[in-house]
Amino acid sequence: MTASAVEQGGGPPAPRLWANANFRALFVGQTVSLIGDGVSFAMFPLLVLALTGSGTQMGLVGALEMLPAALFSPIAGALADRWDRRRIMMWCNLARAVLIGLVPLAGAMGVPVLPVVYAVTIPFGALNALFNSAYFASLPAIVGHEALASATSTLMAARWVGNVFGPALAGFIAARWNPQVGLALDALTFLVAYAALHFTRGPFQVAPAASRGSLFGEVREGLEYAAGQPVLVATMLLSCGVEAVTYQLVPMTTFLTQVDRGLPPSTFGLLVAVFGAGMLPGLLLVPRLSRGRVWPVILLANLVAGLALALLALSGQLAPMLVASALCGGANSLSLSLLSTRWARLTPNEMLGRVGSLYTLATRLIGPVSAVTVGAVLDRSGGVAALGMAAAFLVFLTVTFALSPSFRGASEVRSPGPSAG
């Protein structure tokens, strides 16, 4: 990245990554919270499948979480650029702890659990959208643009920890108790993340968050800016496609192991944990591979992920399934980390909340479609067919964006924001 590109971010240089107290607190809180997310990410499909026996119901719950996030994300992004991002993240963690805790509370009180799952899913999705808008927009202000790739890969490593330990813990809990215990644990981890943010300082904005006009005017400004940046648009579109597949990996693996092959829950947890373990090599490569032009690496990683999913679908033995899961985890983490770093670098700090919310919007609009589609395929044809469809889609994305001049555009640095013009 050029010096001028770094200077566009404004503000004094950030301290080294691990000397940065704000980053350390964020990392600790997110690591704990993501372990809880890993537990609930595996537990929700198991819980819904246990209650209903239906892949369509699993897809519907996933769609209900994504849809409100899609509808709310443009406003969430504008709020993240306008309000104190630190406080947004704190209160979202507290509210999500309450909501997720209602599910095991219902089970303990003898209340029907499935209606509670549906009731909390919609507001939980909206809070996720608000938290994610503030979280992604905060990172450049916390660490500085020069350390952005290292910070992104480090926080993806926190996601890796969650993906390794969360599903493994979920399998252990499911085998000995029930999925609701795992959701109670997730609620506690949100409280830990809330407490960790008390050790941080500042609003996590480079400049004071000042209102420049109406809220909807700021939303429109973000849309207009993003629409005029073809490299940014192409990067975010590919991110959305990859995320749409990533979100459905757990339901597809659940059905493949539990229904198609009749394997125990511990095997399902092991596969998802190995996927998380496979993320680590990809994350370690991100700082080095983020220098210069990154699009060839992104496309190669995406192709490897697609081929690994095909191997997972076709393998009848546990050993090749584990290899496929690890390969997919490594390629997926590398692709998503580089895509996230690329679009953050292409966006001025004062627009990060709104531009990031457009990414959330597109992902959440595609998400319900993919969730319902995958659920229907699971019920009709099983996990093998669904994973094969996902593999073919990733290969299709790789070919399509390899042929896209916009995605292969020469610009890897940010254009000035509207205020610069």
Side-chain angles (χ1 to χ4, degrees):
M1 178 178 292
T2 63
S4 60
V6 175
E7 290 166 3
Q8 287 176 18
R16 290 185 178 182
L17 200 58
W18 291 109
N20 187 325
N22 281 347
F23 181 79
R24 290 199 309 271
L26 181 66
F27 175 78
V28 170
Q30 280 301 104
T31 301
V32 173
S33 178
L34 287 166
I35 291 173
D37 288 350
V39 172
S40 63
F41 193 52
M43 281 300 189
F44 260 115
L46 289 172
L47 176 61
V48 176
L49 189 62
L51 292 172
T52 67
S54 170
T56 300
Q57 291 276 10
M58 285 197 303
L60 183 57
V61 170
L64 284 176
E65 181 181 348
M66 295 177 189
L67 189 58
L71 298 175
F72 182 60
S73 59
I75 296 175
L79 293 175
D81 286 338
R82 176 184 286 217
W83 290 352
D84 184 325
R85 293 169 182 167
R86 173 178 172 268
R87 291 185 179 273
I88 289 174
M89 293 161 65
M90 290 174 65
W91 289 110
C92 283
N93 279 331
L94 186 60
R96 289 186 297 177
V98 172
L99 286 175
I100 205 75
L102 290 175
V103 177
L105 181 62
M109 296 176 64
V111 176
V113 173
L114 190 61
V116 178
V117 170
Y118 279 114
V120 304
T121 296
I122 292 176
F124 189 82
L127 287 167
N128 280 342
L130 183 56
F131 177 88
N132 288 333
S133 292
Y135 172 66
F136 288 117
S138 295
L139 197 54
I142 293 172
V143 304
H145 281 273
E146 287 184 316
L148 185 58
S150 294
T152 299
S153 62
T154 301
L155 288 171
M156 281 292 289
R159 183 174 175 179
W160 165 78
V161 170
N163 285 341
V164 171
F165 291 101
L169 186 56
F172 176 83
I173 291 171
R176 286 157 180 78
W177 297 290
N178 65 64
Q180 296 170 40
V181 175
L183 298 180
L185 177 63
D186 190 22
L188 292 176
T189 65
F190 279 125
L191 295 178
V192 172
Y194 170 83
L197 286 168
H198 273 290
F199 292 94
T200 62
R201 295 291 181 269
F204 293 172
Q205 269 103 331
V206 169
S211 174
R212 295 184 296 272
S214 73
L215 185 64
F216 289 101
E218 292 184 18
V219 172
R220 184 177 64 252
E221 184 182 50
L223 286 168
E224 291 172 350
Y225 172 79
Q229 309 296 325
V231 179
L232 176 62
V233 170
T235 300
M236 294 179 72
L237 285 175
L238 180 56
S239 298
C240 292
V242 176
E243 288 277 19
V245 172
T246 303
Y247 287 151
Q248 303 311 315
L249 289 178
V250 167
M252 289 187 290
T253 306
T254 302
F255 216 88
L256 177 73
T257 57
Q258 305 296 288
V259 178
D260 289 2
R261 295 182 180 159
L263 299 172
S266 58
T267 301
F268 160 73
L270 179 61
L271 280 172
V272 182
V274 167
F275 175 92
M279 292 174 64
L280 184 58
L283 295 174
L284 293 174
L285 291 171
V286 169
R288 180 179 297 274
L289 295 178
S290 65
R291 302 165 188 165
R293 295 166 68 84
V294 299
W295 67 263
V297 183
I298 293 171
L299 293 178
L300 179 60
N302 201 49
L303 178 61
V304 171
L307 296 176
L309 283 184
L311 176 61
L312 178 62
L314 297 174
S315 299
Q317 302 296 320
L318 181 59
M321 291 174 68
L322 293 173
V323 170
S325 188
L327 282 174
C328 185
N332 181 264
S333 67
L334 179 59
S335 173
L336 287 175
S337 292
L338 290 176
L339 284 165
S340 177
T341 299
R342 194 187 199 209
W343 72 254
R345 282 177 170 173
L346 291 165
T347 307
N349 182 75
E350 68 272 16
M351 302 291 293
L352 277 167
R354 283 164 284 175
V355 171
S357 74
L358 296 178
Y359 165 66
T360 302
L361 172 63
T363 302
R364 295 307 188 264
L365 287 175
I366 294 171
V369 176
S370 67
V372 173
T373 301
V374 167
V377 172
L378 289 172
D379 278 341
R380 180 181 296 271
S381 304
V384 172
L387 283 166
M389 181 180 70
F393 182 64
L394 288 180
V395 173
F396 168 77
L397 288 177
T398 301
V399 174
T400 300
F401 282 89
L403 298 174
S404 167
S406 294
F407 184 73
R408 296 182 285 107
S411 175
E412 294 280 355
V413 297
R414 292 169 292 142
S415 300
S419 61

